[in-house]
Amino acid sequence: MTSISASGTAGIAAARLRLDRRTRSVSIALLAALAVALALAMYLGDFALAPGDIVQALVSPFTGIKTPGADFIVLNVRLPRAVLAILSGAAFALSGSIFQTLLRNPLASPDIIGISSGASAAAVFCIIVLGWGGALLSAGAVVGALAAALAIYVLAWRDGLSPFRVVLIGIAVAAIFGAVISYLFTRARIFEVQQAMGWLIGSLNAATPGKILPLALAMLVLVPAALVLSRGLAALPLGDDTAKGLGVRVEPTRLGLIVIAVILSAFATAATGPVAFVAFVSGPIARRLLATGRVGLVPSMLVGALVMTASDLIAQHAVPSTQLPVGVVTGLLGATFLIWLLVNANRTGRTA
Amino acid sequence: MATTSPFAGNQRNRRLALGLATLALGVGAAAFLSLTQGARPIPLEAVWAAVTAFDANSTDHRIVWDLRVPRTLIGVVVGAALGLSGALLQGATRNPLADSSILGINAGAAACVVFGIYVFGITSLRIYVWLAFAGAGLTMLLVYSVAALGREGATPVKLALAGAAVNAALISVISAVLMMSPNTLDQVRFWQVGSLAGRDMTVLVQVLPFLAVGAVVALASGRLLDGLSMGEDVARALGQRVEISRGLAGLGAVILAGGATAAAGPIAFIGLTVPHMARAFTGPSYRWILPYSMLLAPLLLLAADVIGRLIAPPGEVQVGIVTAAIGAPVFIALVRRRKLAEL
């Protein structure tokens, strides 16, 4: 809400215009990069296809011209994988940015404060104890994430919600779920442990419509809702009183955004597993690109989609004849980003 | 510095010393339970006979000597190390939430061990220990420097978050390695859960000198930590070299946590909760908190281990899981109770 009516001076208006122009140009650049990554994702692979064949295969549902091998590779393997990468990357990023902004801390993303670990513990339980897979496993993961979020919310509630308490209690909840996972691991047979381990790292393998559809539907509802609510988001870091003074209805806005972030994170995790650090890095990267303290949710989502797609390209093609799960690459990326944060902040004296 | 007995003759000190003696008795009692309780019921006389007149042909005697005695010894040593390391970390960082598991130190040690097994195919326990030390030290440095960024320095929340973030990074790297190497996974999954059972006595013997050095450093740094707790400026004005005392305490904490992790695997939350319990008896002086933590921690660890043995017969729950299940709620209560200003 842009109701800072007292400051309607030309200078500020000009500054805001520059800002918006910057947001737009950054978004366009990110879209272009994403398009390149997408094209590479279509092109690269064991089964070599000429660019013309790929285009033909992509449009074949409309034209009716069938080329069996190419159609299958492009439409049933590469395209779903790329779509899942983009959707889950964007969902993780949006969820992470909302958390980081609401909790006023760049380290407070759902993968660190226990929400992903709720999903993980539930999924490991489903795999090892119940022997579930597929849609049931995804549903279990969603339930786990929501339960973790609810537990954190209830435990951290004490005359209101303080970001510090949420973060610290989230860490404790994550530790409990971590213990549950370790315990299940010692109880299981080694191949079950391996299967669960694969889920825990997170991958885009077996990207089927059954995995993509729930996430896509959730995003169709939640992303617009988040964007509408987020107009109040910019004022929340200023403190509740200032935000109220600016005309933001603080509690409903915050609660709505938290619920959206949790559900997004839950569905994305259910589709891909808890891919490490995508939620964590996207917001800060977008912020650096925008070169302002502002929260850009759309640029964050684009960064998330790009990180996920590019990481999957690296994971699939960097090591010849070995396909790594995407979570391995994002994990390394996250570790590198942390160190970069360290070096960069030391140089500029900025807060982490 | 002989620090554990400050002003003699004081009644309060006598009371505290008495408490310390009681705790020592408590550790003895817990050790007794640990020797006598387990999945297989062994009559007291048989336990006693196993200790006094060992008979290699008796299954009961073998269980006592080969399983319960090592387990109890490891519990006592590792517990003491974890308690001291937690108290040192909390004092050196002036942070009530500091703990080797929260700060990612245990995960750092684990990551180095996993890499050792995977990359170099190391199977020698002697080298595990060094890897665990190196991992613990590097992680401590990394976490502290990430948290100390920015103007307000390493506040408790930033330290906890930096630890959690580094922890998450390490865990994802560890799982990547384990994913690619089922062999390593099979070796590590039992180590990864902190446990006192099935551990090798040779590791304990090997880390013992380090832990002894760490314990001496810890017990000697009570005065330094008391100085630090008054604030850096006051400590400096009193003639303390703040960086040196902080570095010394940090080094001690890393040696203790690394050694404990090498011997038993990562055990969460003991180092965090024990100093707080100790503080409830002793008040704010680290000269008392440190020795109290050193005795209280093995008491709790052995108790948790016995609980884990009895809770799910015929199997048992590893002590690292029991301590997390008990410790995390304590941590949550701590966070809820304190005013934010203190955090």
Side-chain angles (χ1 to χ4, degrees):
Chain A
M1 266 165 225
T2 49
S3 55
I4 318 172
S5 52
S7 53
T9 57
I12 289 182
R16 190 175 296 149
L17 196 66
R18 259 204 311 280
L19 259 177
D20 285 346
R21 207 174 287 159
R22 172 119 195 164
T23 307
R24 198 178 315 149
S25 52
V26 165
S27 300
I28 290 172
L30 285 171
L31 269 177
L34 190 56
V36 172
L38 192 58
L40 279 175
M42 292 294 116
Y43 179 67
L44 292 175
D46 292 338
F47 194 91
L49 285 171
D53 295 338
I54 294 170
V55 174
Q56 199 177 38
L58 281 174
V59 297
S60 68
F62 308 105
T63 56
I65 306 167
K66 301 276 185 233
T67 34
D71 284 0
F72 180 80
I73 292 285
V74 171
L75 291 179
N76 290 7
V77 179
R78 291 184 193 168
L79 186 63
R81 191 179 180 105
V83 169
L84 184 59
I86 289 172
L87 288 182
S88 59
F92 277 126
L94 182 55
S95 157
S97 301
I98 290 175
F99 270 108
Q100 286 163 340
T101 314
L102 286 180
L103 301 180
R104 288 174 230 162
N105 196 311
L107 297 177
S109 72
D111 40 0
I112 288 171
I113 63 161
I115 291 168
S116 309
S117 61
S120 304
V124 171
F125 182 81
C126 290
I127 293 173
I128 289 178
V129 179
L130 306 174
W132 287 358
L136 280 174
L137 177 59
S138 300
V142 169
V143 170
L146 297 182
L150 188 68
I152 295 166
Y153 195 87
V154 169
L155 288 170
W157 180 271
R158 201 188 156 195
D159 313 322
L161 215 55
S162 115
F164 288 167
R165 270 207 303 274
V166 173
V167 166
L168 294 173
I169 286 177
I171 290 173
V173 168
I176 295 177
F177 284 124
V180 171
I181 294 175
S182 307
Y183 175 67
L184 290 171
F185 271 14
T186 60
R187 281 297 152 110
R189 279 158 296 182
I190 185 73
F191 67 88
E192 289 170 330
V193 175
Q194 265 179 294
Q195 194 197 344
M197 205 79 202
W199 193 89
L200 285 181
I201 290 174
S203 84
L204 299 166
N205 290 340
T208 54
K211 272 189 180 171
I212 296 171
L213 212 58
L215 176 61
L217 288 178
M219 289 180 76
L220 200 63
V221 178
L222 295 176
V223 171
L227 292 180
V228 170
L229 277 178
S230 72
R231 282 187 292 173
L233 193 62
L236 284 182
L238 302 175
D240 287 5
D241 293 336
T242 314
K244 272 184 198 133
L246 291 172
V248 178
R249 295 174 35 187
V250 173
E251 276 309 324
T253 306
R254 181 156 43 206
L255 189 62
L257 283 170
I258 287 183
V259 169
I260 289 173
V262 166
I263 299 178
L264 276 176
S265 157
F267 274 88
T269 309
T272 61
V275 178
F277 284 111
V278 176
F280 177 81
V281 299
S282 301
I285 290 180
R287 204 176 284 232
R288 297 282 147 93
L289 289 177
L290 293 173
T292 62
R294 252 160 58 106
V295 205
L297 290 186
V298 174
S300 299
M301 285 168 69
L302 290 172
V303 169
L306 182 62
V307 165
M308 194 69 132
T309 315
S311 299
D312 193 41
L313 283 175
I314 298 172
Q316 283 197 86
H317 306 297
V319 187
S321 78
T322 312
Q323 286 205 347
L324 297 170
V326 66
V328 172
V329 175
T330 59
L332 292 173
L333 194 78
T336 321
F337 181 77
L338 263 180
I339 291 165
W340 176 78
L341 208 66
L342 172 76
V343 173
N344 192 47
N346 260 354
R347 208 177 48 231
T348 59
R350 235 190 327 228
T351 306
Chain B
M1 266 181 282
T3 49
T4 44
S5 57
F7 324 100
N10 183 328
Q11 199 176 3
R12 195 180 122 75
N13 283 329
R14 207 175 305 148
R15 191 173 61 83
L16 285 173
L18 205 64
L20 216 52
T22 318
L23 272 181
L25 283 181
V27 175
F32 174 76
L33 279 179
S34 168
L35 284 177
T36 51
Q37 300 300 314
R40 179 189 168 97
I42 299 177
L44 269 185
E45 307 85 71
V47 175
W48 179 247
V51 178
T52 50
F54 179 65
D55 171 11
N57 295 322
S58 153
T59 320
D60 282 354
H61 288 199
R62 292 220 70 104
I63 287 182
V64 170
W65 267 111
D66 296 349
L67 300 176
R68 293 192 186 167
V69 167
R71 184 169 191 169
T72 307
L73 285 178
I74 290 176
V76 170
V77 172
V78 164
L82 287 174
L84 282 175
S85 127
L88 275 180
L89 282 174
Q90 288 177 13
T93 59
R94 296 181 60 204
N95 183 337
L97 301 176
D99 165 51
S100 56
S101 58
I102 300 271
L103 297 187
I105 295 176
N106 295 349
C112 265
V113 171
V114 169
F115 270 118
I117 297 175
Y118 174 64
V119 181
F120 306 108
I122 291 167
T123 47
S124 150
L125 294 166
R126 184 161 307 186
I127 303 174
Y128 276 9
V129 174
W130 289 110
L131 291 171
F133 278 133
L138 285 175
T139 316
M140 173 82 191
L141 265 182
L142 178 67
V143 168
Y144 195 79
S145 27
V146 170
L149 296 178
R151 213 166 296 140
E152 68 270 49
T155 62
V157 171
K158 280 170 71 189
L159 205 55
L161 264 175
V166 169
N167 206 6
L170 287 169
I171 285 176
S172 69
V173 174
I174 293 175
S175 18
V177 171
L178 296 184
M179 180 77 194
M180 290 182 285
S181 159
N183 268 341
T184 317
L185 175 62
D186 211 14
Q187 275 190 49
V188 160
R189 70 175 164 146
F190 291 101
W191 184 81
Q192 220 181 3
V193 196
S195 170
L196 304 179
R199 303 303 186 205
D200 201 315
M201 280 297 280
T202 53
V203 179
L204 185 69
V205 171
Q206 200 190 348
V207 294
L208 209 51
F210 295 99
L211 294 182
V213 171
V216 170
V217 169
L219 291 175
S221 50
R223 203 180 295 268
L224 298 177
L225 295 182
D226 281 345
L228 275 181
S229 69
M230 288 184 281
E232 288 183 22
D233 294 340
V234 177
R236 241 180 229 118
L238 289 174
Q240 242 192 54
R241 286 199 256 169
V242 172
E243 286 75 22
I244 293 184
S245 26
R246 192 166 267 172
L248 199 65
L251 187 68
V254 165
I255 292 176
L256 289 165
T261 308
I267 292 177
F269 284 107
I270 284 281
L272 174 79
T273 47
V274 161
H276 288 286
M277 298 166 83
R279 214 168 272 132
F281 289 111
T282 63
S285 167
Y286 277 94
R287 270 170 291 178
W288 286 107
I289 292 176
L290 285 162
Y292 263 72
S293 301
M294 187 172 91
L295 293 178
L296 205 50
L299 175 58
L300 285 182
L301 192 63
L302 286 178
D305 189 41
V306 172
I307 291 175
R309 274 185 234 173
L310 301 178
I311 203 168
E316 50 177 71
V317 180
Q318 281 82 357
V319 70
I321 292 163
V322 179
T323 59
I326 298 173
V330 173
F331 179 85
I332 290 173
L334 220 58
V335 171
R336 283 178 61 85
R337 205 187 57 197
R338 275 173 192 267
K339 292 197 201 77
L340 283 179
E342 292 175 68
L343 285 181

